[in-house]
Amino acid sequence: MAKDGERRDPLNRARVLRAAVALADESGLEAISMRKLAQALGVVPMALYKHVANKDELLDGMVDAVVSEVEPPQEGLDWKAAVRRRTLSARAVMLRHPWARRIMEAQAAPTHVILAYTDSMIRTFLAGGLSADLVHHVMHALGSRIFGFTQELHETAPTAPSDLSPEQVQYMMATFPGIVAVATARPHDPTSVVGSGCDDQFEFEFGIDLMLDGVERLHRNDWRSADHDREAASVL
Amino acid sequence: MAKDGERRDPLNRARVLRAAVALADESGLEAISMRKLAQALGVVPMALYKHVANKDELLDGMVDAVVSEVEPPQEGLDWKAAVRRRTLSARAVMLRHPWARRIMEAQAAPTHVILAYTDSMIRTFLAGGLSADLVHHVMHALGSRIFGFTQELHETAPTAPSDLSPEQVQYMMATFPGIVAVATARPHDPTSVVGSGCDDQFEFEFGIDLMLDGVERLHRNDWRSADHDREAASVL
DNA sequence: GTCAGAGGTGTACGCCGTACACCTGTCAGT
DNA sequence: ACTGACAGGTGTACGGCGTACACCTCTGAC
């Protein structure tokens, strides 16, 4: 560094976070270490601690940056369309930053930004006339889906059927007949009968619509918590 | 050790996994390191590598052990009751081993045990007469719910309203009115109007029933993928 | 001209996963 | 009874991690 002309302008929290998001986008979450991030910024690791308290706070900041990319609530939509649209926007954001999901799942406490987002989503429901009681349970049921997460356990299917050797297919069919039956039944994608994967967008919309349609029906029927208890009891 | 009487009987994979599960139950996932686990077993860290390939495989093994605790499918139930019951059993297991969730979310590929569980769940649906097409999408929609996961983002609410100082309540009401409105509306728990938390069991059952009821309706209406496309199009 | 403080540096500690060479007791085959 | 393979436990070492702490060096207000 020394005195070779002008000094680079000093770091700040925003630049650190931006660099971290870019690094994670490029190289994945496991590439995020204080040392590597510092290197990417041309700075010594400890310099970062002047701008973020510690690594956890860095991760929180990265998530906040991502959540802020979700489009704000739209005017003039009924509650269902508004929630659907915002959730799909969130999903698009999460596809750009797939690492964000794992941070959010691992972090213990929600940040202010996340609370604000949640609050805004809740108010959309309330503004639509749903009871606070119903909204409460709906938010639990939706869970992290409002952040655009697919609730899949493993982002990648083990392997596409077409990539398997005949013996492997044989083995799969013998061992996991259910999985094979269902994995090869995807008539909604006529371009490839047994393509490389699922139509993730379709699956996401199927899931969110399954829930929102259910919610709408409960709302129309003036649902109350006590109703659910009664139904559940009748099932057993 | 030397020759002080009898040697302890040798380790084996099962004992290593049992110890790891016990340690995680006691001290949480962050307490699981090869070194600490070895110490708990009275053995040198590298000894573990004779029984597990590496840490990732250890974690997989722990999850498999946990998933194996879920009760097997029951005979004589219709598909909906069968799925509901097994899912609730899975949830009970996950409450005993809350750390398992984070491993499953972080692990890239599903293990054989997990595939077998998934397969069994799928076959329950198929045996109930649901089309492979519908089951495919339903499995995506249910996601990790079939493993008993609540889809909550943060296991603990930030703080129970009753634990907040009046100024904090004031601030929350001004900043997150939606959250406050909904957090204080829980008439299904008459024992405590503003208790310390939610009735998690209720929330879980609400969510799973919301989905299963929706699925049942789709099934009764002979749902096909194309229907969904048409509906979605009509919404826009 | 001084001095506080913001921002960057360097060293060091304890923890982690695990590669690799090694030792030791058991037991099958002769 | 001898031997040699091998399963299972050991010890050392390396590179990576987060971060505490002492330090240096500019900048700008007074």
Side-chain angles (χ1 to χ4, degrees):
Chain A
M1 312 280 124
K3 49 188 57 176
D4 50 23
E6 74 295 351
R7 323 174 44 72
R8 62 198 185 297
D9 41 331
L11 246 43
N12 55 46
R13 189 179 157 91
R15 276 215 6 235
V16 169
L17 292 180
R18 239 180 303 129
V21 167
L23 183 55
D25 285 346
E26 257 169 46
S27 314
L29 188 53
E30 69 285 351
I32 298 291
S33 76
M34 299 304 272
R35 289 165 141 95
K36 287 188 196 138
L37 177 56
Q39 191 171 20
L41 283 162
V43 116
V44 101
M46 287 309 292
L48 300 178
Y49 287 87
K50 288 290 198 293
H51 305 285
V52 295
N54 51 46
K55 188 177 180 183
D56 249 33
E57 211 230 13
L58 170 73
L59 295 177
D60 274 342
M62 293 169 65
V63 167
D64 284 354
V66 165
V67 171
S68 304
E69 290 183 31
V70 178
E71 81 174 11
Q74 301 289 305
E75 302 290 328
L77 295 175
D78 70 286
W79 67 267
K80 195 176 168 190
V83 169
R84 190 177 199 275
R85 172 165 184 153
R86 197 126 186 258
T87 299
L88 289 177
S89 163
R91 174 178 138 81
V93 170
M94 289 302 160
L95 286 178
R96 287 202 294 276
H97 310 291
W99 43 266
R101 167 186 169 167
R102 278 196 309 182
I103 300 182
M104 293 180 80
E105 286 165 342
Q107 228 59 332
T111 66
H112 187 100
V113 169
I114 288 184
L115 287 177
Y117 180 87
T118 307
D119 183 67
S120 151
M121 197 66 87
I122 287 176
R123 267 147 57 199
T124 300
F125 281 115
L126 292 176
L130 278 72
S131 75
D133 177 19
L134 178 55
V135 174
H136 176 103
H137 305 302
V138 167
M139 291 301 292
H140 277 286
L142 286 173
S144 55
R145 224 179 275 262
I146 63 171
F147 289 98
F149 291 164
T150 304
Q151 300 300 157
E152 314 282 334
L153 208 41
H154 302 100
E155 33 234 45
T156 59
T159 341
S162 48
D163 294 352
L164 294 172
S165 70
E167 312 87 77
Q168 285 174 310
V169 171
Q170 201 64 32
Y171 173 79
M172 287 293 287
M173 284 178 54
T175 318
F176 307 124
I179 292 179
V180 171
V182 149
T184 54
R186 289 175 295 101
H188 62 271
D189 181 358
T191 63
S192 72
V193 180
V194 179
S196 68
C198 301
D199 180 344
D200 289 334
Q201 183 69 24
F202 183 95
E203 305 304 347
F204 188 83
E205 296 190 17
F206 178 88
I208 193 72
D209 288 339
L210 190 59
M211 305 216 72
L212 292 182
D213 289 348
V215 171
E216 187 175 38
R217 195 162 24 246
L218 294 180
H219 174 48
R220 271 204 302 257
N221 295 347
D222 237 340
W223 180 93
R224 279 152 218 271
S225 299
D227 301 344
H228 189 89
D229 287 333
R230 199 156 358 94
E231 276 176 36
S234 79
V235 162
L236 301 181
Chain B
M1 308 285 120
K3 48 187 59 176
D4 51 22
E6 74 296 350
R7 321 172 49 69
R8 61 199 186 296
D9 42 332
L11 245 43
N12 55 48
R13 190 178 156 91
R15 273 210 13 229
V16 169
L17 292 182
R18 237 179 304 130
V21 167
L23 183 54
D25 285 346
E26 255 168 47
S27 315
L29 188 54
E30 70 285 351
I32 298 292
S33 77
M34 298 305 272
R35 288 165 144 93
K36 287 188 197 139
L37 177 56
Q39 191 172 20
L41 283 161
V43 118
V44 103
M46 288 309 291
L48 301 177
Y49 287 87
K50 290 290 200 289
H51 306 285
V52 295
N54 51 47
K55 189 178 179 182
D56 249 34
E57 212 229 13
L58 170 72
L59 296 177
D60 274 343
M62 293 168 68
V63 167
D64 284 355
V66 166
V67 170
S68 303
E69 290 183 27
V70 178
E71 83 174 9
Q74 301 288 305
E75 301 291 327
L77 295 176
D78 70 287
W79 66 266
K80 196 175 167 190
V83 169
R84 189 178 200 276
R85 170 164 186 153
R86 198 129 185 255
T87 300
L88 289 177
S89 164
R91 174 177 137 83
V93 170
M94 290 302 161
L95 286 178
R96 285 203 292 276
H97 310 290
W99 43 267
R101 167 185 170 169
R102 281 197 310 184
I103 300 182
M104 293 180 82
E105 285 165 342
Q107 227 60 330
T111 66
H112 187 100
V113 169
I114 288 182
L115 287 177
Y117 180 87
T118 307
D119 183 69
S120 151
M121 196 65 87
I122 287 175
R123 267 147 56 200
T124 300
F125 281 115
L126 293 175
L130 278 70
S131 75
D133 178 17
L134 178 56
V135 173
H136 176 103
H137 305 303
V138 167
M139 289 303 289
H140 277 286
L142 286 174
S144 54
R145 223 180 276 262
I146 62 170
F147 289 97
F149 292 164
T150 302
Q151 299 300 155
E152 314 282 334
L153 208 42
H154 302 101
E155 33 234 45
T156 59
T159 344
S162 46
D163 293 352
L164 294 173
S165 70
E167 310 87 77
Q168 286 174 310
V169 171
Q170 200 64 32
Y171 173 80
M172 288 291 289
M173 283 179 56
T175 319
F176 307 123
I179 291 180
V180 171
V182 149
T184 54
R186 290 176 295 99
H188 61 272
D189 182 358
T191 62
S192 71
V193 179
V194 179
S196 68
C198 302
D199 180 344
D200 290 333
Q201 183 69 24
F202 184 95
E203 306 304 346
F204 188 84
E205 295 189 19
F206 178 89
I208 193 71
D209 289 338
L210 190 60
M211 307 218 71
L212 292 182
D213 289 348
V215 171
E216 186 174 38
R217 198 162 25 246
L218 294 179
H219 174 49
R220 270 204 302 257
N221 294 348
D222 237 339
W223 181 93
R224 279 154 218 271
S225 299
D227 301 345
H228 189 89
D229 287 334
R230 200 160 353 96
E231 275 176 38
S234 77
V235 163
L236 300 180

